[in-house]
Amino acid sequence: MNYLTRLAAVGLMAANLSACGWFSSEVEIEPAPLVKFEAEKDVDVIWRTSVGSLGEKFNQLTMGITTERIYTSSVSGNVYALDRASGDVVWSVELDVPVAGGVGVGPNQIAVTTEQGMLIVLNNEDGSEIWRKQLQAEALSPAQMNEQLLVSQLQNGSLVAFDVNTGEQKWTYDTQIPALTLRGTSAPIVALDATLAAFANGKLVAVDNRNGGLLWERLIAAADGKSELERIIDIDGQPILANGVVYVVSYQGKLVAVSVQDAQVLWSKDASSYRQLAAGFGNIYVSEDNSFIQAYDQRTSASVWRQPALEYRETSAPAVIGNTVVVGDFDGYLHFMSQIDGRFVARYQVDGSGIRSDMKVVDDTLYVLTNAGRLAAIKLQ
């Protein structure tokens, strides 16, 4: 496997990459072989089904999930609602256009975005279309919603807010992003009064939900390096919010804890990741860009443990299930690690196509979507 090719698959957005010859001297970096260990837990597959491929581009097509249903889409434009307990299809809709941003879930709606930048909102009960709007740019992360507002984060550095029921545009917030970025965007956090969003320029902002005005701004990572590639500091994973603190990580930058109330940085650690974080057992879990899995203490930032055995296996964002943290890899393996010390406790291969979509956990059940479109519900025994 070629590590630089993997970064290209993440989607470096630069027309001049070939001109500058970045790919002319690629170095082969082999992924770490699977280590042997004695399994402490059994993996139980509750159900599995197929919902269509994620395609060849770096599309994560993150699923949306509620207490009763899972909502997912294929790159070709098929949208599915499945019963969470059985995996049975409740309804499906063919949009006949390629989708790019995964499925966002609201109180009564779901939302998908197309590769042409069309935002389409559907009724979550039957899949009927409620409204659609043409966006100014591609949206590569799911739209996020509360009871009143739907917010979509665009590849060009804009946040656009709509009335969730009518589609009326309420406000736009714009920020300047570098010419060279990774392919992808973070998804915002839409709370009752404010929206938190992180951008490819390394900034985290809080925006007033009433009018899109800036409440505060915090620089998470500063560009540092001689070349444009070395200066990429994208924040592509959705921040996580816990007990009034937002945790956010950037590529080639920092893992930072910020107080939502006053925007003060509580702690900061050097880190590099373009994946979403996870939290559990008082830890923050990071899937680093070299596929090391790192656990930090939520309060103090101290390193609790580090698992290097998955190096360059293209690990997915971590998810927490029971007393374990789990990541997927490029071969479709799930690696379950103890939250206490990071030791491997179980492993299971869903299929051989790989796992890049964010996994979800509800009621101690792990939901995994592979690159080939295999969706599985899994429990640990």
Side-chain angles (χ1 to χ4, degrees):
M1 172 164 298
N2 188 306
Y3 182 52
L4 292 181
T5 301
R6 182 180 71 83
L7 283 181
V10 173
L12 288 163
M13 292 175 51
N16 64 342
L17 278 181
S18 58
C20 71
W22 188 57
F23 293 109
S24 62
S25 57
E26 294 180 355
V27 177
E28 293 286 342
I29 300 180
E30 293 296 325
L34 296 178
V35 299
K36 294 182 179 180
F37 63 93
E38 186 174 344
E40 302 173 31
K41 296 177 180 290
D42 293 325
V43 176
D44 187 10
V45 179
I46 308 303
W47 55 258
R48 65 175 72 204
T49 188
S50 293
V51 292
S53 169
L54 274 64
E56 296 300 319
K57 294 181 180 179
F58 191 81
N59 292 321
Q60 296 190 69
L61 298 188
T62 303
M63 71 189 92
I65 195 162
T66 65
T67 55
E68 296 181 351
R69 291 183 182 176
I70 299 171
Y71 300 93
T72 187
S73 61
S74 67
V75 70
S76 61
N78 295 324
V79 182
Y80 300 89
L82 301 99
D83 183 87
R84 190 171 67 82
S86 66
D88 294 337
V89 175
V90 179
W91 55 257
S92 63
V93 173
E94 294 183 11
L95 299 179
D96 296 324
V97 288
V99 300
V103 182
V105 176
N108 302 296
Q109 307 86 358
I110 65 168
V112 296
T113 53
T114 73
E115 289 187 354
Q116 289 74 39
M118 182 70 70
L119 172 65
I120 303 174
V121 176
L122 308 175
N123 185 298
N124 63 13
E125 286 296 323
D126 58 14
S128 58
E129 185 173 319
I130 301 175
W131 55 267
R132 65 170 61 195
K133 293 287 183 178
Q134 180 64 50
L135 303 173
Q136 295 179 345
E138 192 176 19
L140 297 174
S141 60
Q144 304 294 302
M145 292 169 258
N146 62 19
E147 294 281 351
Q148 293 84 31
L149 211 61
L150 177 151
V151 181
S152 183
Q153 186 162 338
L154 310 187
Q155 188 76 7
N156 66 358
S158 294
L159 287 177
V160 187
F162 301 91
D163 183 288
V164 72
N165 295 306
T166 67
E168 177 190 359
Q169 185 168 326
K170 292 297 186 180
W171 50 259
T172 300
Y173 173 85
D174 295 309
T175 190
Q176 290 231 319
I177 62 171
L180 186 63
T181 71
L182 301 179
R183 176 177 169 81
T185 60
S186 172
I189 299 174
V190 183
L192 181 62
D193 299 321
T195 292
L196 298 171
F199 297 95
N201 57 11
K203 292 182 179 180
L204 173 71
V205 304
V207 175
D208 192 326
N209 280 348
R210 295 171 300 177
N211 53 24
L214 181 66
L215 298 174
W216 54 256
E217 176 183 273
R218 177 61 64 186
L219 184 65
I220 299 302
D224 183 26
K226 296 180 180 179
S227 71
E228 287 189 79
L229 294 174
E230 293 173 326
R231 295 174 63 82
I232 295 174
I233 52 171
D234 288 44
I235 303 173
D236 277 3
Q238 185 181 32
I240 57 174
L241 181 62
N243 301 319
V245 179
V246 59
Y247 301 89
V248 59
V249 66
S250 69
Y251 178 69
Q252 300 185 143
K254 302 282 186 179
L255 169 65
V256 180
V258 179
S259 169
V260 173
Q261 183 175 8
D262 55 12
Q264 293 303 304
V265 173
L266 304 179
W267 55 257
S268 176
K269 301 284 285 189
D270 288 337
S272 181
S273 178
Y274 49 84
R275 300 294 194 182
Q276 184 170 326
L277 304 169
F281 270 31
N283 297 332
I284 296 294
Y285 301 107
V286 183
S287 177
E288 298 181 329
D289 65 346
N290 61 1
S291 296
F292 286 17
I293 310 303
Q294 175 77 59
Y296 295 96
D297 186 281
Q298 253 179 276
R299 294 177 297 108
T300 69
S301 81
S303 177
V304 179
W305 54 260
R306 195 181 202 195
Q307 177 54 265
L310 302 175
E311 187 174 21
Y312 298 122
R313 294 193 64 86
E314 299 184 46
T315 49
S316 70
V320 168
I321 175 170
N323 59 5
T324 72
V325 57
V326 57
V327 295
D329 73 9
F330 76 98
D331 259 344
Y333 283 100
L334 297 171
H335 305 273
F336 298 86
M337 293 156 280
S338 166
Q339 290 194 63
I340 297 173
D341 57 14
R343 74 184 186 276
F344 292 114
V345 297
R347 179 190 295 147
Y348 178 76
Q349 188 176 32
V350 184
D351 67 21
S353 68
I355 299 167
R356 62 175 178 257
S357 181
D358 293 347
M359 299 177 287
K360 305 287 185 179
V361 177
V362 179
D363 296 334
D364 284 330
T365 302
L366 177 72
Y367 298 92
V368 182
L369 178 62
T370 71
N371 298 345
R374 179 65 57 86
L375 178 62
I378 290 172
K379 283 183 175 287
L380 278 182
Q381 303 297 335

